[in-house]
DNA sequence: TTGAATTAATAGGATCAGCC
DNA sequence: GGCTGATCCTATTAATTCAA
């Protein structure tokens, strides 16, 4: 699914072929999960003291990469747009549910049914999304409300720095870019293709006077870097801010380094080491994510089974009750007819 | 400190595809 | 052909980062 291409500098970049068409429920779930993970790691990092001093990350690129790892082959723009639309629908439904709940409290009875009990037409009349799945709504609720709580908590903990949700402490331009081609073979094979493949241009080396180059410092954060992929979407280039944002996917072009041979060797060695460390961290993170995902799935399955068995039990109970009532009725009838027959005339 | 550049979030509208 | 829902595109605003 990845098309490896060479840019003008002869460096490999990744051209992804994105899936088009309607989003499946599964893809939507993956996206929601990706956003959840994104929020979680952001909240985790927001606790670090490094705070705002580091460049922002391309969060939707991260989401895209996460989705790809989970088999949802969508671009960051698609993810972004889908999320926007999901949030629109979610907020409409949530607002409606809230209103109906308040009305119900005020009137002591609910004269408007919940969204889930409404017919499609009724939903349309109220300008609500016609087919928001409860499953998706609940997942969204989980993510959105949790995020809200986290923000409040984080703001309380972090004191003077209220800019919690969007603080990044992962340098975009340090670790991610630019392993020289020779290092491609040094990356463990277990790294997902989306991580192992892209090998963009070597950036210019920092001047000797610069602060210790983060280039050789392994990222302590065990998640994948945004990748220098190129959207297969073709209509993404204009000068509007929104378009500028859409352009952000690939960076590093035109930055092929021209450092001296000595420096290259040193940096190459350092990069090699850090690449190994990063690869291990990424792998460990992948495994943790995978385990967590499996746990979640099994939890869902168990919940479904419990629901099913409860339904079954209820059904059996009602059946039994009906049978008992029928028996009782028959007995009464029999008794009554006996009494009628044996009664003195 | 300030202003430019970038990114995220949001909303409105256009377009496309499926259905009747 | 019209309607509807889903997707995509564009504009706007606020937040953030960074260099002068």
């Amino acid at each position: 699914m990845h098309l490896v291409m060479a840019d003008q500098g002869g460096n490999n970049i990744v051209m992804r072929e994105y899936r088009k068409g309607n989003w499946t429920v599964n893809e939507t779930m993956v996206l929601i999960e990706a956003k959840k993970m994104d929020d979680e790691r952001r909240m985790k990092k927001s606790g670090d003291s490094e705070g705002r001093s580091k460049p922002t990350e391309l969060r939707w690129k991260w989401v895209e990469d996460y989705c790809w790892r989970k088999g949802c082959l969508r671009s960051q723009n698609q993810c972004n747009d889908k999320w926007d639309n999901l949030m629109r629908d979610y907020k409409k439904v949530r607002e409606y549910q809230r209103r109906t709940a308040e009305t119900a409290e005020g009137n002591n009875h609910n004269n408007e049914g919940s969204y889930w009990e409404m017919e499609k037409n009724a939903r349309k009349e109220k300008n609500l999304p016609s087919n928001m799945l409860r499953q998706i709504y609940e997942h969204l609720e989980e993510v959105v409300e949790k995020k809200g709580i986290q923000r409040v908590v984080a703001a309380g903990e972090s004191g003077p720095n209220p800019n919690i949700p969007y603080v990044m402490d992962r340098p975009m331009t340090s670790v991610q870019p630019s392993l020289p081609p020779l290092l491609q073979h040094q990356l463990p094979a277990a790294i997902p293709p989306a991580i192992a493949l892209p090998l963009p241009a070597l950036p210019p080396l920092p001047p000797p006077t610069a602060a210790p180059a983060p280039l050789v410092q392994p990222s302590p954060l065990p998640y994948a870097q945004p990748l220098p992929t190129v959207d297969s979407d073709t209509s993404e280039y204009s000068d509007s801010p929104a378009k500028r944002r859409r352009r952000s996917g690939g960076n590093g072009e035109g930055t092929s380094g021209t450092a001296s041979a000595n420096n290259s060797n040193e940096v190459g060695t350092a990069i090699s080491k850090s690449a190994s460390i990063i690869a291990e961290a990424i792998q460990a993170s992948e495994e943790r994510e995978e385990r967590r995902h499996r746990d979640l799935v099994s939890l869902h399955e168990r919940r479904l089974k419990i629901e099913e068995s409860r339904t079954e039990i209820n059904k059996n109970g009602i059946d039994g009750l009906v049978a008992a009532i029928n028996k009782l009725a028959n007995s009464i009838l029999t008794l009554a007819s006996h009494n009628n027959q044996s009664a003195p005339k």
Side-chain angles (χ1 to χ4, degrees), chain A residues 97-117:
Chain A
Q97 296 285 70
R98 194 173 290 166
R99 270 208 320 272
T100 49
E102 281 169 9
T103 313
E105 273 177 26
N107 297 350
N108 281 336
H109 68 281
N110 195 352
N111 44 12
E112 281 184 292
S114 96
Y115 173 82
W116 314 109
E117 292 160 2

Side-chain angles (χ1 to χ4, degrees), chain A residues 25-39:
Chain A
V25 175
N26 195 38
E27 284 178 318
T28 308
M29 289 306 202
V30 170
L31 174 62
I32 294 170
E33 194 188 314
K35 278 292 288 181
K36 190 178 173 186
M37 301 294 288
D38 179 53
D39 289 337

Side-chain angles (χ1 to χ4, degrees), chain A residues 32-211:
Chain A
I32 294 170
E33 194 188 314
K35 278 292 288 181
K36 190 178 173 186
M37 301 294 288
D38 179 53
D39 289 337
E40 277 175 10
R41 70 192 178 86
R42 276 163 180 271
M43 292 313 300
K44 241 182 267 169
K45 282 178 284 168
S46 70
D48 299 348
S49 57
E50 295 159 43
R52 309 166 53 152
S53 60
K54 300 203 176 172
T56 37
E57 175 202 41
L58 300 173
R59 77 183 305 189
W60 286 106
K61 196 67 195 164
W62 187 92
V63 170
E64 175 191 322
D65 291 335
Y66 184 94
C67 287
W68 270 72
R69 289 202 300 274
K70 301 288 175 185
C72 169
L73 312 180
R74 299 288 184 164
S75 74
Q76 53 180 330
N77 299 337
Q78 288 175 306
C79 293
N80 188 352
D81 289 334
K82 180 62 183 175
W83 182 256
D84 290 346
N85 291 324
L86 278 175
M87 288 310 292
R88 285 189 219 184
D89 289 350
Y90 168 75
K91 283 175 182 173
K92 281 182 189 171
V93 174
R94 185 183 61 180
E95 195 52 41
Y96 176 79
Q97 296 285 70
R98 194 173 290 166
R99 270 208 320 272
T100 49
E102 281 169 9
T103 313
E105 273 177 26
N107 297 350
N108 281 336
H109 68 281
N110 195 352
N111 44 12
E112 281 184 292
S114 96
Y115 173 82
W116 314 109
E117 292 160 2
M118 291 168 78
E119 293 292 326
K120 210 172 182 179
N121 285 342
R123 289 174 177 176
K124 219 175 83 179
E125 278 172 14
K126 294 180 188 300
N127 196 28
L128 295 168
S130 61
N131 60 348
M132 161 82 80
L133 294 178
R134 188 165 203 162
Q135 189 188 9
I136 287 173
Y137 178 86
E138 282 169 358
H139 272 71
L140 279 172
E141 192 172 35
E142 206 177 301
V143 175
V144 174
E145 305 307 329
K146 186 178 174 186
K147 188 176 173 182
I149 291 167
Q150 282 175 331
R151 284 191 185 192
V152 170
V153 170
E157 284 173 353
S158 62
N161 180 10
N163 304 309
I164 297 306
Y166 308 117
V167 169
M168 295 310 309
D169 63 359
R170 179 166 53 116
M172 243 165 55
T173 53
S174 56
V175 179
Q176 173 256 338
S178 327
L179 303 180
L182 64 99
L183 290 174
Q184 290 181 47
H185 309 293
Q186 298 174 2
L187 291 170
I191 300 178
I195 293 163
L197 275 173
L199 290 162
L202 186 70
L205 289 169
T209 53

